[in-house]
Structure formats: structure tokens, C-alpha cells
Amino acid sequence: EALGPTQAITASNRGYLELKRRRYDDAEKWFKKALSRDGVQPMMYANLGTLAIARKNFPKARTLYAQALQRNHKFAVAHWMLGRIDASMGQIEAAKKRFSTMITVAPKDPRGYLELTGLHLAGKDYKAALKVLIRAQQAIPGHPQINRLLSQIRQPGQPK
């Protein structure tokens, strides 16, 4: 039976509560209830993807986040999580591409910029990191974490 929008949100919230309590079977039950509502499907697939990550089932998580993107290709959370999965599996170029896509679809969301900057810094590509941070500062002026990273990279004696 399909839930109304309010009931779907309530079921999703209940799923997250159960996920936080590490009651994964209960979380799955609530997330699947919420998924029965078409209007919130992308987020509900992402919720199930988060549950799959908690269960350390990364292939299933990847599939669920991809299903969220099939329903809304601009769904930033799915790009973010797929990028994090790629990075954790050592697929750095794929992760960079995913975070770049996230920046394009959600330019006001700092997570894409921060993740991409982190990958550039880990690879000691300071010019690329600086470029991303400047773009981030233009899109999200005053963001404390972006500003802090930008000032650290620009300090005298720091690699450019």
C-alpha cells in the first residue's frame, strides 16, 4: 500500500532511527515502506544505499545509489556517496569525476568541493585543490571550512 508524503517521511525518519540504533532489519523494513511512495523514491533508494554501507555491502550500495540517479540524475547525495565509495575502493579518478558532477548539479553544496579538494590534496595536486577551493568560495562565500582550507593552501611556504 502506498504511503502519503507525510507517512513516507515518517517511515524514512523511523528507518534512520533504527539505522542509528544498528537495528538494520528494522531500518530496512521502514525504508522499504517509505520507498513505496513515488514522490520520494530517489531519497529512499539512497536511504537503502546508506543501510547497505552500514552492512558493508558496497556493491549493493553502489546499485542503490545508481537507482536513485536513474530517478533523478541531479540527486547530489547519490553523486556524493558514489564518489565516496569510489574513493574508498581506490578508484580516485572515478571519485573525482563523481564529485565534479556533484559540484555541477549542486553548486551550493560544500561536500562535493571538500571531497574533491581532499582527493587533490592527497595526490599533492595543490594547484587543482586551489582551483576547486576558489570555485567553492565563489559559489559559497563565507563557508568556514572552505575558507580555512583556502587560507592554509595560500600561506607562505605552502606548496602551490
Side-chain angles (χ1 to χ4, degrees):
E1 126 193 14
L3 302 176
T6 303
Q7 294 166 314
I9 291 168
T10 301
S12 177
N13 290 341
R14 182 70 187 268
Y16 264 101
L17 178 64
E18 298 301 340
L19 180 62
K20 189 174 180 179
R21 292 177 176 167
R22 297 177 191 238
R23 296 180 188 162
Y24 300 145
D25 291 340
D26 290 337
E28 183 174 21
K29 177 185 79 171
W30 286 105
F31 286 150
K32 284 184 175 179
K33 257 190 180 181
L35 181 62
S36 70
R37 174 68 182 157
D38 285 349
V40 290
Q41 267 192 10
M43 190 64 208
M44 296 311 120
Y45 280 99
N47 289 345
L48 287 166
T50 301
L51 175 62
I53 287 174
R55 289 176 163 163
K56 302 198 184 319
N57 187 341
F58 300 107
K60 184 174 184 178
R62 184 185 297 276
T63 298
L64 288 160
Y65 288 117
Q67 288 176 318
L69 287 176
Q70 287 172 359
R71 282 142 185 87
N72 179 354
H73 71 280
K74 293 185 176 186
F75 191 59
V77 169
H79 288 290
W80 178 54
M81 293 306 294
L82 284 167
R84 294 191 69 172
I85 291 169
D86 288 340
S88 73
M89 296 173 68
Q91 299 171 355
I92 303 306
E93 292 308 312
K96 286 179 182 177
K97 185 176 179 184
R98 190 65 74 178
F99 295 135
S100 293
T101 300
M102 182 184 175
I103 291 166
T104 300
V105 300
K108 299 290 185 187
D109 188 328
R111 295 174 294 187
Y113 299 102
L114 293 169
E115 296 281 1
L116 185 55
T117 297
L119 292 176
H120 287 312
L121 291 174
K124 302 198 184 309
D125 188 348
Y126 300 104
K127 278 188 176 184
L130 181 60
K131 186 177 175 182
V132 171
L133 288 171
I134 289 169
R135 184 174 171 197
Q137 189 180 49
Q138 292 168 346
I140 315 167
H143 189 279
Q145 198 172 359
I146 290 167
N147 289 343
R148 185 177 71 248
L149 283 168
L150 196 50
S151 69
Q152 289 172 350
I153 288 179
R154 287 181 167 165
Q155 284 181 357
Q158 291 294 317
K160 300 289 185 237

